[in-house]
Amino acid sequence: MTGREPSLAQEAQTELSSVEKYELEWIELCTDLSQCEYLVKLREKAIEGDLKVSKFRSICWALLLRVFQHDPTNWLKQRREAREAYQDLKAQFNHNPYQGNVPNNDDPLSQSNESVWNQHFCDQELSKLIRQDVQRTFPGIDFFRKPQIQEIMTNILFCYARSNPLICYRQGMHELLAPLVFIIHSDHRVLSHVKDLVQCVKYDPHTLQEILDPEFLEEDS
């Protein structure tokens, strides 16, 4: 061995420093949004690849993609509304005629665009097509081999295709979605690590923890 191993105090200081950096970045992100040109600067940072070290990369992307407005005090409300809207959309498109609620005159062999059965079989084909692509997403990355992640991506792309019939699903969309899912998951992991290090932090813990709640990975992606 060369040199001395770091003391517990030194390790604690290193951990505390990482927490302080996390808090500072969050505070700066919320504060800088009051500047008119901040989104322009944020876009430039994204283009130059500077966001790759951000602990709030998913929130930066949400700002750039207009998912969040400039005012951080509205982010939690916007997040809740978006989650509810997605859940409603998913429930609407996941109708299974085998479970009932089908008109008596609706034939399972019907080719009518108004047929619940016809739509169900079309949905099955669409889901199958999407899943085939999702299963091939970045084969060298274990994260995308997880059945749960593949299910999340399939659900999101299916809902997008059904709610945008003129665009529907196009091959390659799964590769556009994958980075979004991954960075949101990464931000979840960072917040979880920070919470493991300290019990009390300076940022608003309830707001941030709900915005980056891992239970809503699918809805937020």
Side-chain angles (χ1 to χ4, degrees):
M1 295 180 58
T2 58
R4 294 184 301 174
E5 294 185 0
S7 66
L8 292 177
Q10 289 173 324
E11 291 180 351
Q13 180 62 35
T14 300
E15 293 176 344
L16 182 60
S17 176
S18 66
V19 171
E20 289 177 338
K21 290 178 181 178
Y22 186 86
E23 294 172 341
L24 181 60
E25 183 178 350
W26 173 249
I27 293 171
E28 288 180 344
L29 176 62
C30 295
T31 303
D32 289 346
L33 285 170
S34 61
Q35 303 177 18
C36 296
E37 297 183 354
Y38 180 71
L39 282 184
V40 175
K41 295 179 181 178
L42 187 62
R43 186 175 293 106
E44 291 175 352
K45 291 176 66 176
I47 293 173
E48 294 171 1
D50 293 339
L51 289 184
K52 62 185 178 182
V53 297
S54 173
K55 303 299 186 296
F56 303 99
R57 194 174 179 183
S58 65
I59 294 179
C60 292
W61 281 29
L63 287 164
L64 293 173
L65 294 173
R66 311 293 184 180
V67 176
F68 283 161
Q69 297 175 357
H70 296 184
D71 187 355
T73 60
N74 290 327
W75 289 353
L76 187 55
K77 178 175 180 290
Q78 292 164 14
R79 186 67 105 189
R80 289 171 176 170
E81 290 175 348
R83 288 168 177 169
E84 184 177 353
Y86 175 80
Q87 290 168 350
D88 290 344
L89 199 65
K90 185 177 178 181
Q92 175 187 344
F93 294 140
N94 280 351
H95 178 64
N96 187 346
Y98 287 104
Q99 297 176 350
N101 296 324
V102 180
N104 293 331
N105 61 346
D106 193 343
D107 191 327
L109 299 179
S110 173
Q111 298 297 310
S112 170
N113 291 333
E114 304 298 325
S115 170
V116 175
W117 285 103
N118 183 46
Q119 184 63 63
H120 173 68
F121 295 132
C122 289
D123 287 348
Q124 285 187 318
E125 289 299 316
L126 176 60
S127 293
K128 181 180 178 181
L129 174 64
I130 293 172
R131 192 175 300 277
Q132 287 175 344
D133 280 352
V134 166
Q135 290 173 344
R136 294 194 290 264
T137 304
F138 300 127
I141 301 178
D142 291 341
F143 176 76
F144 295 107
R145 307 276 65 75
K146 297 178 180 179
Q148 178 188 4
I149 299 303
Q150 293 182 356
E151 184 68 20
I152 285 174
M153 292 181 63
T154 300
N155 291 341
I156 293 172
L157 292 169
F158 174 79
C159 287
Y160 178 85
R162 288 284 278 110
S163 58
N164 296 273
L166 294 180
I167 301 175
C168 197
Y169 173 75
R170 295 289 184 270
Q171 191 172 29
M173 284 184 174
H174 63 294
E175 294 184 346
L176 297 176
L177 173 63
L180 293 173
V181 177
F182 186 78
I183 64 167
I184 293 174
H185 168 74
S186 297
D187 284 1
H188 292 166
R189 293 284 300 274
V190 174
L191 177 57
S192 176
H193 178 63
V194 169
K195 288 165 59 180
D196 287 341
L197 294 178
V198 292
Q199 296 297 319
C200 182
V201 288
K202 297 177 183 177
Y203 57 80
D204 182 350
H206 300 295
T207 297
L208 186 54
Q209 288 175 28
E210 187 170 345
I211 288 176
L212 294 178
D213 188 342
E215 292 296 321
F216 295 98
L217 176 60
E218 179 175 334
E219 289 85 347
D220 295 345
S221 298

